[in-house]
Amino acid sequence: MSTSGRKTKDASQIKRRITQACILCRKKKIKCDGAKPECVHCQDANLQCQYTEYKKRGPHKGYVRLLEERLVQLERRLTNAGAEVPPPISINSPTQQYNSSSAKSEPSSSSMMMNKRQDEEDDFPPPEIVTHLIDLFFQYLNSVFPFVHRARLKQSIKEGTVSKPLLWSVMAIAARFSDHPSIKTDPPYWAGEKFAMKATSLINASLLEPTIPNLQFWGIMSCLEYGRASGSKAWIYGGIAVRICQELGLNREETLKTPILAVDGSIDYVAMALRRRIFWSTLCIDKFASTSTNRPQGFDIGEYDVEPPTLDESRLLRDPLQGFTLDRLVIANDPLMDVIPDYLRVLERFGEIAKYMSRAKTAGATVAWPPINEFHELDAKMRQWREDLPEAYQFTPANIQKYRDSASQNYLNFWICSHAMYCTGMLALHRGSLAYSDLSVAELSQDIYDRIQSSIKACKANVEIAMDVFKALRDICGWNVLPYMGYCAYIFSTVLMTSAFSSDPISYQKSSAGLAILFDTIKLLGAYWPMSERLSLTTRDMLSAHSRLYDVQEQEYNYEASRLSHPMQHHQQAPQQQQMMQIQQQHPLQPSASIQQQQLNSPDVDSLASISTVETSNIPTTSASLSYPSYVSNTNIMPIRLQPQSQPQSQPQSQPQQQQPLGGYQLLPGSMNNSDIDFNSCEFLYDSALFGQIIFDTSKGGSDVNLAPQYSMPMSMANPPTAYAPYQQQLPKQTTTPWGV
């Protein structure tokens, strides 16, 4: 009876289509009735019936729309090439004809929105402007940050296949270097804002697809946001680039060695070399954007096995416009072309130092050195890098002169920056010891005292080297360096503020000259990157504070030496000199009018022109009522003035000055003032407060400081011109750098 019942059941279901068979029936290759929870065959065999997870058939969501967009692109390319585009397919069904006629008479809202979006995306500047900006991008940033290939980018533009967000991001960076009358602004970095806003508006889910153009877009946007002083976005965008890089497998040598075939079936060696270059550029982004904002890194050593670029690959990807010396002489073989592997190795070690030093404890009841367990291993790796460097790549005056005459500017940049990264890494590792420079052996154990003194010695040695490195970077590269170098220069300026570098008149003069060099280096970048602009003003105020803090020591030293050599002559002047020194000690950062009239021989901001090689006509004198630090210096950039510690006597105490948000930045109460800064403290040396919270929008929860950049366009750019004037080739800019491009 049960058999007849089962037959009846099978007969009733014979017309039902079975969409899924159980696992057992599929293995036995027998017909399954698809019954759940158990099919007939599993019931008869008394076996557990199991089904795999159901997956919806058909194309994934958005696939049809993607095909439509590709069809529109194909038709546009055919039209541009002069080919005849066939008419739409006719519809014979009466119902379909009615629907078609209705659609023609009343366009659907979805098609209208798609056309509107397409028009907005294609709203590029005229072709000559686009070409002009692309050339600037490769002349400046891409020459030291190789992420895109010029010929491939221009080819994709010609074919109409270029990634629109990528092109807008390229123009956003390039516009700041333009002298085109329809683009140029004051300050120059405002010129890129309208392009950056357009690039940001195009961010959608499709940019998260793992493709090379998307990877290039996020990498360039990370660098852009870093220069705009938006540390959080720089880190997030760089993190997306890292994830896409990993998804594409570019962090594995096996993937990079897989041949890429061109359209004609040959191996595309350019695409293969570019793939390797993109990985290393992504790694550089990750290290810079993470270390300078005290955030986790995306790539750790051991998570990739990619070989550095070879000399043949560098030659293959070499831009023809970069084959010139600083004197515009043609180079057949660049002697610094093979320095890239050394640059990447020191950057890897710098990333390791930043990773472990971020865990160091800067406060404690007892003095302990070294601050981390990995200290000696990291120190040995950095020193080994310099020892393994060939003699031809060592930083010496002879090599500097040699490569000025024989190497291209972009490879000179890599060579100098590799030494800047070495000095910065060593300083980041050893700078904490400067907080204990005034402790004697009686206050510490002999072992700890010797370790601290050894680290202090390493700090001083690397600072001395770094001053020559940054001087070369300023004189040779000018503003054509990555904005990340401003962070490196800033680290050295914080160290030069310590008393260890101003203990006597000779060291005081050297540290003052060093601060001026660092100020020059950062100031050159300030016109092109808001982050560097803010850093330059902070460095300028440190230079001013340095002269006022330590010049008293030099005067006392000189006075005592002069008194001993001429005791009678200074017998009557002693009370007056001592009174003046007492006033300076009471107000080290606010000299009185009588002291200012003495024209002290100190490198104050007023006398920067005698030290700095950068034009200082736009640098105003520092107001005595301005609390340290201020960030913006001239009226073109709309300065932020912090609340003074004490009001001048001319202002009534009952009417406190209100702070107004200027220059697009907002300062909330609770910011640091002069009395909060101890230049010899670990907190200042590790710049966790100054750089992490003031320069970038990285203030953690609970902090009262909020300086997140909220950009507002200047009046001249509130309504940007919709039409660009025809571009005519301009004369090269007159710069303070010898390479003068």
Side-chain angles (χ1 to χ4, degrees):
M1 187 171 182
S2 61
T3 304
S4 62
R6 189 170 69 243
K7 288 181 179 179
T8 304
K9 182 178 179 181
D10 291 342
S12 64
Q13 295 181 353
I14 194 170
K15 293 184 179 181
R16 185 170 66 88
R17 183 178 178 183
I18 307 302
T19 59
Q20 188 180 23
C22 70
I23 297 176
L24 185 63
C25 291
R26 285 208 311 271
K27 287 184 177 180
K28 293 183 177 182
K29 296 184 179 180
I30 58 178
K31 187 173 182 180
C32 181
D33 63 352
K36 294 183 179 180
E38 293 182 343
C39 69
V40 175
H41 296 296
C42 291
Q43 286 181 357
D44 292 344
N46 197 23
L47 297 174
Q48 183 179 1
C49 187
Q50 295 180 345
Y51 289 87
T52 57
E53 183 181 356
Y54 176 72
K55 295 182 179 180
K56 184 179 179 180
R57 293 183 177 183
H60 60 79
K61 185 178 180 181
Y63 181 73
V64 176
R65 179 181 176 183
L66 177 63
L67 291 178
E68 291 176 350
E69 292 179 353
R70 294 184 63 181
L71 180 61
V72 171
Q73 286 186 1
L74 180 60
E75 291 178 348
R76 187 184 298 110
R77 290 173 60 183
L78 290 173
T79 304
N80 295 337
E84 183 179 355
V85 180
I89 301 175
S90 60
I91 304 174
N92 298 323
S93 172
T95 305
Q96 291 178 346
Q97 288 179 358
Y98 172 77
N99 293 337
S100 177
S101 61
S102 301
K104 290 180 180 178
S105 59
E106 297 180 2
S108 64
S109 58
S110 60
S111 63
M112 292 177 64
M113 291 178 62
M114 178 176 287
N115 293 333
K116 181 179 179 181
R117 181 183 176 186
Q118 189 71 31
D119 293 339
E120 291 178 352
E121 290 181 356
D122 293 343
D123 188 22
F124 289 117
E128 62 272 14
I129 297 291
V130 174
T131 303
H132 165 63
L133 293 177
I134 289 176
D135 290 339
L136 286 176
F137 177 78
F138 285 94
Q139 179 181 353
Y140 290 100
L141 188 82
N142 201 78
S143 65
V144 294
F145 189 61
F147 227 109
V148 188
H149 191 260
R150 184 201 298 261
R152 294 298 170 96
L153 179 63
K154 289 190 173 182
Q155 181 182 357
S156 64
I157 294 174
K158 183 179 180 180
E159 295 175 352
T161 59
V162 65
S163 167
K164 296 176 178 64
L166 173 61
L167 184 55
W168 281 108
S169 65
V170 166
M171 293 190 293
I173 284 185
R176 69 199 64 233
F177 303 109
S178 175
D179 55 3
H180 191 284
S182 299
I183 302 175
K184 185 178 180 180
T185 59
D186 184 20
Y189 60 72
W190 278 117
E193 287 305 305
K194 54 186 176 184
F195 298 97
M197 292 170 61
K198 183 65 178 180
T200 305
S201 68
L202 296 178
I203 294 178
N204 54 30
S206 64
L207 286 173
L208 299 177
E209 295 292 331
T211 64
I212 292 294
N214 287 350
L215 173 55
Q216 293 170 319
F217 167 78
W218 291 113
I220 294 173
M221 288 298 293
S222 176
C223 181
L224 176 65
E225 292 297 340
Y226 187 99
R228 296 171 76 191
S230 180
S232 58
K233 287 185 179 179
W235 180 71
I236 292 171
Y237 292 170
I240 296 176
V242 169
R243 295 294 174 260
I244 293 179
C245 195
Q246 292 172 330
E247 182 65 22
L248 293 173
L250 301 187
N251 59 323
R252 297 300 176 191
E253 184 66 23
E254 180 182 2
T255 303
L256 300 184
K257 286 185 176 179
T258 303
I260 300 177
L261 300 181
V263 179
D264 59 359
S266 61
I267 298 179
D268 193 345
Y269 291 103
V270 173
M272 293 178 64
L274 182 62
R275 197 165 51 176
R276 185 182 304 275
R277 173 180 283 186
I278 289 174
F279 164 77
W280 285 110
S281 295
T282 305
L283 184 136
C284 292
I285 293 171
D286 176 51
K287 300 304 176 186
F288 283 126
S290 301
T291 55
S292 55
T293 59
N294 198 26
R295 288 184 167 96
Q297 300 175 28
F299 281 124
D300 282 332
I301 293 180
E303 296 179 353
Y304 55 91
D305 58 358
V306 178
E307 297 292 330
T310 63
L311 188 59
D312 291 337
E313 289 176 335
S314 298
R315 289 171 179 164
L316 184 64
L317 296 178
R318 184 185 185 187
D319 196 315
L321 297 182
Q322 295 173 359
F324 300 92
T325 65
L326 299 179
D327 297 327
R328 310 305 295 172
L329 300 177
V330 179
I331 306 174
N333 295 310
D334 198 316
L336 284 175
M337 188 175 288
D338 202 25
V339 78
I340 301 301
D342 297 303
Y343 170 81
L344 296 174
R345 278 192 288 268
V346 74
L347 188 61
E348 288 177 313
R349 286 162 173 77
F350 175 75
E352 278 193 286
I353 290 174
K355 171 185 173 182
Y356 289 109
M357 288 303 295
S358 63
R359 308 172 185 174
K361 297 180 179 180
T362 59
T366 59
V367 177
W369 195 262
I372 56 174
N373 296 329
E374 299 83 0
F375 180 87
H376 296 294
E377 179 183 355
L378 296 172
D379 181 72
K381 285 184 177 180
M382 289 297 285
R383 295 178 187 271
Q384 190 65 42
W385 176 87
R386 191 179 181 190
E387 292 175 3
D388 293 343
L389 206 61
E391 185 63 31
Y393 292 160
Q394 294 289 343
F395 191 81
T396 62
N399 284 339
I400 294 175
Q401 186 59 44
K402 171 185 174 183
Y403 295 133
R404 282 176 66 100
D405 300 334
S406 61
S408 61
Q409 188 271 340
N410 61 310
Y411 284 108
L412 259 170
N413 198 311
F414 283 118
W415 176 60
I416 297 174
C417 287
S418 65
H419 288 278
M421 295 305 303
Y422 168 79
C423 294
T424 306
M426 291 294 288
L427 193 72
L429 197 60
H430 292 275
R431 60 183 167 177
S433 62
L434 299 173
Y436 313 118
S437 60
D438 57 341
L439 297 181
S440 63
V441 67
E443 301 173 84
L444 302 169
S445 65
Q446 185 66 44
D447 182 49
I448 293 181
Y449 178 80
D450 292 340
R451 292 178 183 178
I452 290 176
Q453 292 302 314
S454 177
S455 284
I456 292 175
K457 183 179 179 181
C459 277
K460 293 184 176 181
N462 282 280
V463 166
E464 187 170 352
I465 298 172
M467 294 307 102
D468 292 332
V469 172
F470 283 108
K471 185 176 183 297
L473 195 69
R474 176 197 69 185
D475 296 340
I476 296 175
C477 303
W479 62 74
N480 192 22
V481 297
L482 293 176
Y484 307 111
M485 288 298 106
Y487 167 70
C488 298
Y490 174 80
I491 289 181
F492 281 93
S493 66
T494 61
V495 168
L496 289 177
M497 291 299 298
T498 61
S499 58
F501 288 90
S502 300
S503 57
D504 57 74
I506 296 178
S507 61
Y508 163 72
Q509 292 294 341
K510 290 177 65 176
S511 60
S512 297
L515 279 169
I517 292 174
L518 299 172
F519 172 72
D520 283 357
T521 305
I522 302 173
K523 186 177 184 295
L524 281 172
L525 298 174
Y528 301 92
W529 304 102
M531 182 272 291
S532 298
E533 176 192 68
R534 301 171 76 176
L535 277 179
S536 67
L537 269 297
T538 305
T539 308
R540 183 209 64 173
D541 285 338
M542 283 197 289
L543 177 58
S544 178
H546 178 269
S547 64
R548 294 170 181 171
L549 282 172
Y550 297 118
D551 188 67
V552 177
Q553 298 178 6
E554 183 187 20
Q555 289 183 73
E556 291 177 345
Y557 184 91
N558 293 335
Y559 171 75
E560 184 65 20
S562 178
R563 187 184 65 81
L564 293 175
S565 60
H566 303 283
M568 297 301 297
Q569 180 180 352
H570 290 268
H571 179 71
Q572 297 179 351
Q573 300 179 2
Q576 182 180 359
Q577 294 278 1
Q578 292 176 358
Q579 181 181 6
M580 183 179 67
M581 293 176 185
Q582 289 175 359
I583 295 175
Q584 279 190 307
Q585 290 173 350
Q586 293 173 3
H587 306 281
L589 298 182
Q590 298 179 6
S592 62
S594 60
I595 299 176
Q596 289 179 341
Q597 292 175 1
Q598 297 294 328
Q599 299 179 354
L600 303 179
N601 296 323
S602 61
D604 203 351
V605 177
D606 300 337
S607 59
L608 264 177
S610 62
I611 302 176
S612 171
T613 61
V614 176
E615 183 181 357
T616 57
S617 58
N618 292 330
I619 304 177
T621 56
T622 305
S623 173
S625 63
L626 206 60
S627 180
Y628 172 85
S630 64
Y631 308 105
V632 186
S633 61
N634 58 55
T635 55
N636 292 333
I637 315 173
M638 297 174 293
I640 308 168
R641 297 194 178 274
L642 309 187
Q643 186 69 24
Q645 233 179 326
S646 60
Q647 296 289 341
Q649 295 180 359
S650 59
Q651 293 183 352
Q653 296 292 337
S654 60
Q655 297 178 0
Q657 181 181 356
Q658 294 183 353
Q659 300 180 35
Q660 299 294 335
L662 298 173
Y665 301 97
Q666 291 183 346
L667 179 65
L668 300 183
S671 61
M672 293 184 298
N673 53 48
N674 295 331
S675 61
D676 293 331
I677 299 176
D678 180 5
F679 296 119
N680 293 304
S681 64
C682 289
E683 289 77 11
F684 178 80
L685 289 168
Y686 287 117
D687 65 19
S688 58
L690 283 178
F691 193 83
Q693 297 181 11
I694 295 179
I695 303 303
F696 281 116
D697 55 330
T698 59
S699 52
K700 308 298 181 184
S703 174
D704 294 331
V705 180
N706 183 9
L707 283 171
Q710 302 172 0
Y711 286 93
S712 58
M713 303 293 275
M715 295 300 295
S716 60
M717 293 192 63
N719 298 311
T722 56
Y724 292 83
Y727 177 70
Q728 297 179 354
Q729 186 65 34
Q730 305 287 331
L731 294 176
K733 295 180 181 179
Q734 296 298 324
T735 70
T736 57
T737 58
W739 49 280
V741 292

